[in-house]
């Protein structure tokens, strides 16, 4: 089966939306510290672009590596923590930065795990949200784009580890 990619969300649309999210997060966290926790590998372009748009001198970043897909196009449902954050989050304002919230299993597991560490607050910011695929009762606090049930890649999202470098989000078409 061959595949191709069709642009779905342009680089310009992404840049504009990230600027809007950055402005909102700046307002919401004015005078407060914030720890952005990027979920590897997909969130890296989004996290970098977002942090440059947040005007806050008390901003720090950390990363977690979480797997629920393996090499398939469907979530396995088995969420594994491959790398935990390096620092304590007790008393800190934490924002999980994710490329896409699909079934919600990953976010649910992360929220449950990180909440036991007593952060001051914990929020979720995602580039893409697919609410029709949700099997867990989670809702991101900051959403770049709500999308239908499409298989997408680009801007950090991958198709079997490929296409992350694209500056846009595209729909992967299987032929």
């Amino acid at each position: 089966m061959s595949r191709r990619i069709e642009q779905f969300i342009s680089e310009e649309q992404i840049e504009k939306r990230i600027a809007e999210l950055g402005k909102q997060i700046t307002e919401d966290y004015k005078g407060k510290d914030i720890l952005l926790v990027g979920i590897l590998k997909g969130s890296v372009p989004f996290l970098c672009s977002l942090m440059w748009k947040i005007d806050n001198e008390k901003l720090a970043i950390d990363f977690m590596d979480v797997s629920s897909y393996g090499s398939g196009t469907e979530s396995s449902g088995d969420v594994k923590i491959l790398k935990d954050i390096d620092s304590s989050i007790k008393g800190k304002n934490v924002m999980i930065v994710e490329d896409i919230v699909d079934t919600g299993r990953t976010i649910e597991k992360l929220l449950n795990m990180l909440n036991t560490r007593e952060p001051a607050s914990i929020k979720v910011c995602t580039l893409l949200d697919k609410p029709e695929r949700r099997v867990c009762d989670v809702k991101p606090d900051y959403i770049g784009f709500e999308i239908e049930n499409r298989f997408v890649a680009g801007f950090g999202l991958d198709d079997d580890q490929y296409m992350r470098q694209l500056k846009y989000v595209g729909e992967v078409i299987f032929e």
Side-chain angles (χ1 to χ4, degrees), residues 40-63:
L40 295 172
K41 303 176 181 126
S43 74
V44 172
F46 180 44
L47 176 91
C48 291
S49 298
L50 182 64
M51 72 179 187
W52 292 328
K53 299 296 183 189
I54 298 172
D55 184 14
N56 185 330
E57 292 178 8
K58 296 179 181 180
L59 183 142
I61 64 171
D62 205 337
F63 292 94

mmCIF file of all heavy atoms in Angstrom, residues 40-63:
data_model
loop_
_atom_site.group_PDB
_atom_site.id
_atom_site.type_symbol
_atom_site.label_atom_id
_atom_site.label_comp_id
_atom_site.label_asym_id
_atom_site.label_seq_id
_atom_site.Cartn_x
_atom_site.Cartn_y
_atom_site.Cartn_z
ATOM 1 N N LEU A 40 7.768 13.734 24.012
ATOM 2 C CA LEU A 40 8.611 13.356 22.872
ATOM 3 C C LEU A 40 7.934 12.279 22.035
ATOM 4 O O LEU A 40 7.169 11.490 22.553
ATOM 5 C CB LEU A 40 9.954 12.819 23.385
ATOM 6 C CG LEU A 40 10.822 13.839 24.126
ATOM 7 C CD1 LEU A 40 12.024 13.145 24.747
ATOM 8 C CD2 LEU A 40 11.276 14.952 23.207
ATOM 9 N N LYS A 41 8.226 12.275 20.774
ATOM 10 C CA LYS A 41 9.034 13.171 20.003
ATOM 11 C C LYS A 41 8.166 14.211 19.305
ATOM 12 O O LYS A 41 8.652 15.252 18.883
ATOM 13 C CB LYS A 41 9.816 12.405 18.943
ATOM 14 C CG LYS A 41 10.685 11.314 19.513
ATOM 15 C CD LYS A 41 11.385 10.504 18.431
ATOM 16 C CE LYS A 41 12.198 9.418 19.091
ATOM 17 N NZ LYS A 41 11.876 8.094 18.576
ATOM 18 N N GLY A 42 6.906 13.919 19.169
ATOM 19 C CA GLY A 42 6.018 14.717 18.339
ATOM 20 C C GLY A 42 5.826 16.160 18.732
ATOM 21 O O GLY A 42 5.574 17.014 17.894
ATOM 22 N N SER A 43 5.955 16.468 20.014
ATOM 23 C CA SER A 43 5.656 17.835 20.465
ATOM 24 C C SER A 43 6.795 18.817 20.230
ATOM 25 O O SER A 43 6.609 20.010 20.431
ATOM 26 C CB SER A 43 5.313 17.836 21.956
ATOM 27 O OG SER A 43 6.487 17.651 22.737
ATOM 28 N N VAL A 44 7.971 18.352 19.821
ATOM 29 C CA VAL A 44 9.153 19.224 19.781
ATOM 30 C C VAL A 44 8.952 20.486 18.937
ATOM 31 O O VAL A 44 9.175 21.590 19.432
ATOM 32 C CB VAL A 44 10.418 18.439 19.366
ATOM 33 C CG1 VAL A 44 11.596 19.358 19.122
ATOM 34 C CG2 VAL A 44 10.761 17.407 20.439
ATOM 35 N N PRO A 45 8.516 20.401 17.675
ATOM 36 C CA PRO A 45 8.325 21.655 16.919
ATOM 37 C C PRO A 45 7.276 22.574 17.563
ATOM 38 O O PRO A 45 7.471 23.786 17.623
ATOM 39 C CB PRO A 45 7.854 21.185 15.543
ATOM 40 C CG PRO A 45 8.334 19.783 15.431
ATOM 41 C CD PRO A 45 8.288 19.233 16.830
ATOM 42 N N PHE A 46 6.195 21.992 18.056
ATOM 43 C CA PHE A 46 5.139 22.771 18.696
ATOM 44 C C PHE A 46 5.657 23.422 19.972
ATOM 45 O O PHE A 46 5.454 24.618 20.204
ATOM 46 C CB PHE A 46 3.934 21.868 18.974
ATOM 47 C CG PHE A 46 2.771 22.553 19.633
ATOM 48 C CD1 PHE A 46 2.322 23.797 19.214
ATOM 49 C CD2 PHE A 46 2.096 21.934 20.667
ATOM 50 C CE1 PHE A 46 1.234 24.430 19.817
ATOM 51 C CE2 PHE A 46 1.009 22.539 21.280
ATOM 52 C CZ PHE A 46 0.576 23.787 20.856
ATOM 53 N N LEU A 47 6.356 22.671 20.812
ATOM 54 C CA LEU A 47 6.897 23.210 22.058
ATOM 55 C C LEU A 47 7.842 24.365 21.778
ATOM 56 O O LEU A 47 7.747 25.416 22.420
ATOM 57 C CB LEU A 47 7.619 22.121 22.855
ATOM 58 C CG LEU A 47 8.296 22.640 24.123
ATOM 59 C CD1 LEU A 47 7.347 22.553 25.300
ATOM 60 C CD2 LEU A 47 9.554 21.873 24.415
ATOM 61 N N CYS A 48 8.757 24.182 20.824
ATOM 62 C CA CYS A 48 9.715 25.252 20.500
ATOM 63 C C CYS A 48 8.993 26.504 20.014
ATOM 64 O O CYS A 48 9.262 27.606 20.486
ATOM 65 C CB CYS A 48 10.709 24.780 19.446
ATOM 66 S SG CYS A 48 11.853 23.529 20.059
ATOM 67 N N SER A 49 8.083 26.342 19.086
ATOM 68 C CA SER A 49 7.337 27.490 18.556
ATOM 69 C C SER A 49 6.505 28.165 19.641
ATOM 70 O O SER A 49 6.436 29.389 19.705
ATOM 71 C CB SER A 49 6.428 27.038 17.410
ATOM 72 O OG SER A 49 7.189 26.507 16.353
ATOM 73 N N LEU A 50 5.884 27.366 20.488
ATOM 74 C CA LEU A 50 5.025 27.903 21.548
ATOM 75 C C LEU A 50 5.830 28.670 22.586
ATOM 76 O O LEU A 50 5.456 29.785 22.966
ATOM 77 C CB LEU A 50 4.259 26.753 22.217
ATOM 78 C CG LEU A 50 3.282 27.126 23.315
ATOM 79 C CD1 LEU A 50 2.135 27.976 22.760
ATOM 80 C CD2 LEU A 50 2.734 25.865 23.987
ATOM 81 N N MET A 51 6.955 28.114 23.027
ATOM 82 C CA MET A 51 7.707 28.793 24.096
ATOM 83 C C MET A 51 8.249 30.140 23.630
ATOM 84 O O MET A 51 8.389 31.058 24.427
ATOM 85 C CB MET A 51 8.811 27.904 24.662
ATOM 86 C CG MET A 51 9.975 27.680 23.787
ATOM 87 S SD MET A 51 11.165 26.616 24.667
ATOM 88 C CE MET A 51 12.505 26.691 23.493
ATOM 89 N N TRP A 52 8.530 30.272 22.335
ATOM 90 C CA TRP A 52 8.998 31.554 21.806
ATOM 91 C C TRP A 52 7.891 32.602 21.800
ATOM 92 O O TRP A 52 8.161 33.786 21.701
ATOM 93 C CB TRP A 52 9.560 31.379 20.401
ATOM 94 C CG TRP A 52 10.836 30.577 20.377
ATOM 95 C CD1 TRP A 52 11.810 30.533 21.336
ATOM 96 C CD2 TRP A 52 11.258 29.697 19.347
ATOM 97 N NE1 TRP A 52 12.812 29.679 20.962
ATOM 98 C CE2 TRP A 52 12.504 29.148 19.734
ATOM 99 C CE3 TRP A 52 10.716 29.305 18.121
ATOM 100 C CZ2 TRP A 52 13.203 28.242 18.951
ATOM 101 C CZ3 TRP A 52 11.423 28.407 17.349
ATOM 102 C CH2 TRP A 52 12.652 27.888 17.764
ATOM 103 N N LYS A 53 6.639 32.173 21.897
ATOM 104 C CA LYS A 53 5.502 33.100 21.881
ATOM 105 C C LYS A 53 4.947 33.377 23.271
ATOM 106 O O LYS A 53 4.004 34.135 23.424
ATOM 107 C CB LYS A 53 4.372 32.540 20.992
ATOM 108 C CG LYS A 53 4.773 32.340 19.544
ATOM 109 C CD LYS A 53 5.105 33.639 18.876
ATOM 110 C CE LYS A 53 5.442 33.434 17.410
ATOM 111 N NZ LYS A 53 5.960 34.632 16.787
ATOM 112 N N ILE A 54 5.525 32.752 24.286
ATOM 113 C CA ILE A 54 5.092 32.987 25.669
ATOM 114 C C ILE A 54 6.060 33.980 26.307
ATOM 115 O O ILE A 54 7.252 33.718 26.398
ATOM 116 C CB ILE A 54 5.053 31.671 26.482
ATOM 117 C CG1 ILE A 54 4.037 30.693 25.865
ATOM 118 C CG2 ILE A 54 4.699 31.961 27.942
ATOM 119 C CD1 ILE A 54 4.074 29.304 26.484
ATOM 120 N N ASP A 55 5.529 35.124 26.708
ATOM 121 C CA ASP A 55 6.348 36.175 27.326
ATOM 122 C C ASP A 55 6.317 35.981 28.840
ATOM 123 O O ASP A 55 5.434 36.501 29.529
ATOM 124 C CB ASP A 55 5.804 37.544 26.927
ATOM 125 C CG ASP A 55 6.665 38.680 27.445
ATOM 126 O OD1 ASP A 55 7.810 38.428 27.874
ATOM 127 O OD2 ASP A 55 6.182 39.829 27.430
ATOM 128 N N ASN A 56 7.264 35.172 29.331
ATOM 129 C CA ASN A 56 7.318 34.869 30.753
ATOM 130 C C ASN A 56 8.753 34.472 31.105
ATOM 131 O O ASN A 56 9.260 33.467 30.613
ATOM 132 C CB ASN A 56 6.349 33.720 31.076
ATOM 133 C CG ASN A 56 6.264 33.428 32.555
ATOM 134 O OD1 ASN A 56 7.220 33.616 33.305
ATOM 135 N ND2 ASN A 56 5.105 32.937 32.982
ATOM 136 N N GLU A 57 9.384 35.268 31.942
ATOM 137 C CA GLU A 57 10.776 34.992 32.329
ATOM 138 C C GLU A 57 10.889 33.785 33.249
ATOM 139 O O GLU A 57 11.981 33.267 33.466
ATOM 140 C CB GLU A 57 11.380 36.218 33.002
ATOM 141 C CG GLU A 57 11.560 37.377 32.047
ATOM 142 C CD GLU A 57 12.107 38.617 32.718
ATOM 143 O OE1 GLU A 57 12.504 38.547 33.907
ATOM 144 O OE2 GLU A 57 12.142 39.660 32.045
ATOM 145 N N LYS A 58 9.775 33.313 33.790
ATOM 146 C CA LYS A 58 9.793 32.166 34.704
ATOM 147 C C LYS A 58 9.350 30.890 33.986
ATOM 148 O O LYS A 58 8.709 30.039 34.579
ATOM 149 C CB LYS A 58 8.890 32.440 35.900
ATOM 150 C CG LYS A 58 9.349 33.605 36.750
ATOM 151 C CD LYS A 58 8.392 33.812 37.891
ATOM 152 C CE LYS A 58 8.811 34.990 38.751
ATOM 153 N NZ LYS A 58 7.878 35.179 39.858
ATOM 154 N N LEU A 59 9.681 30.773 32.716
ATOM 155 C CA LEU A 59 9.302 29.604 31.921
ATOM 156 C C LEU A 59 10.473 28.626 31.866
ATOM 157 O O LEU A 59 11.607 29.012 31.607
ATOM 158 C CB LEU A 59 8.914 30.042 30.504
ATOM 159 C CG LEU A 59 8.433 28.938 29.573
ATOM 160 C CD1 LEU A 59 7.299 29.456 28.718
ATOM 161 C CD2 LEU A 59 9.542 28.421 28.697
ATOM 162 N N ALA A 60 10.186 27.360 32.135
ATOM 163 C CA ALA A 60 11.186 26.294 32.037
ATOM 164 C C ALA A 60 10.581 25.160 31.204
ATOM 165 O O ALA A 60 9.361 25.095 31.021
ATOM 166 C CB ALA A 60 11.575 25.794 33.423
ATOM 167 N N ILE A 61 11.452 24.285 30.705
ATOM 168 C CA ILE A 61 10.957 23.142 29.928
ATOM 169 C C ILE A 61 11.579 21.846 30.439
ATOM 170 O O ILE A 61 12.660 21.843 31.028
ATOM 171 C CB ILE A 61 11.218 23.285 28.412
ATOM 172 C CG1 ILE A 61 12.714 23.308 28.094
ATOM 173 C CG2 ILE A 61 10.511 24.501 27.852
ATOM 174 C CD1 ILE A 61 13.025 23.218 26.607
ATOM 175 N N ASP A 62 10.860 20.781 30.218
ATOM 176 C CA ASP A 62 11.334 19.432 30.507
ATOM 177 C C ASP A 62 10.641 18.514 29.500
ATOM 178 O O ASP A 62 9.762 18.970 28.753
ATOM 179 C CB ASP A 62 10.997 19.028 31.944
ATOM 180 C CG ASP A 62 11.939 17.961 32.494
ATOM 181 O OD1 ASP A 62 12.564 17.220 31.693
ATOM 182 O OD2 ASP A 62 12.044 17.846 33.734
ATOM 183 N N PHE A 63 11.033 17.260 29.485
ATOM 184 C CA PHE A 63 10.477 16.332 28.498
ATOM 185 C C PHE A 63 10.150 14.986 29.129
ATOM 186 O O PHE A 63 10.791 14.560 30.084
ATOM 187 C CB PHE A 63 11.489 16.088 27.362
ATOM 188 C CG PHE A 63 11.723 17.301 26.517
ATOM 189 C CD1 PHE A 63 12.783 18.153 26.795
ATOM 190 C CD2 PHE A 63 10.883 17.602 25.458
ATOM 191 C CE1 PHE A 63 13.005 19.279 26.024
ATOM 192 C CE2 PHE A 63 11.095 18.730 24.696
ATOM 193 C CZ PHE A 63 12.156 19.568 24.972
#
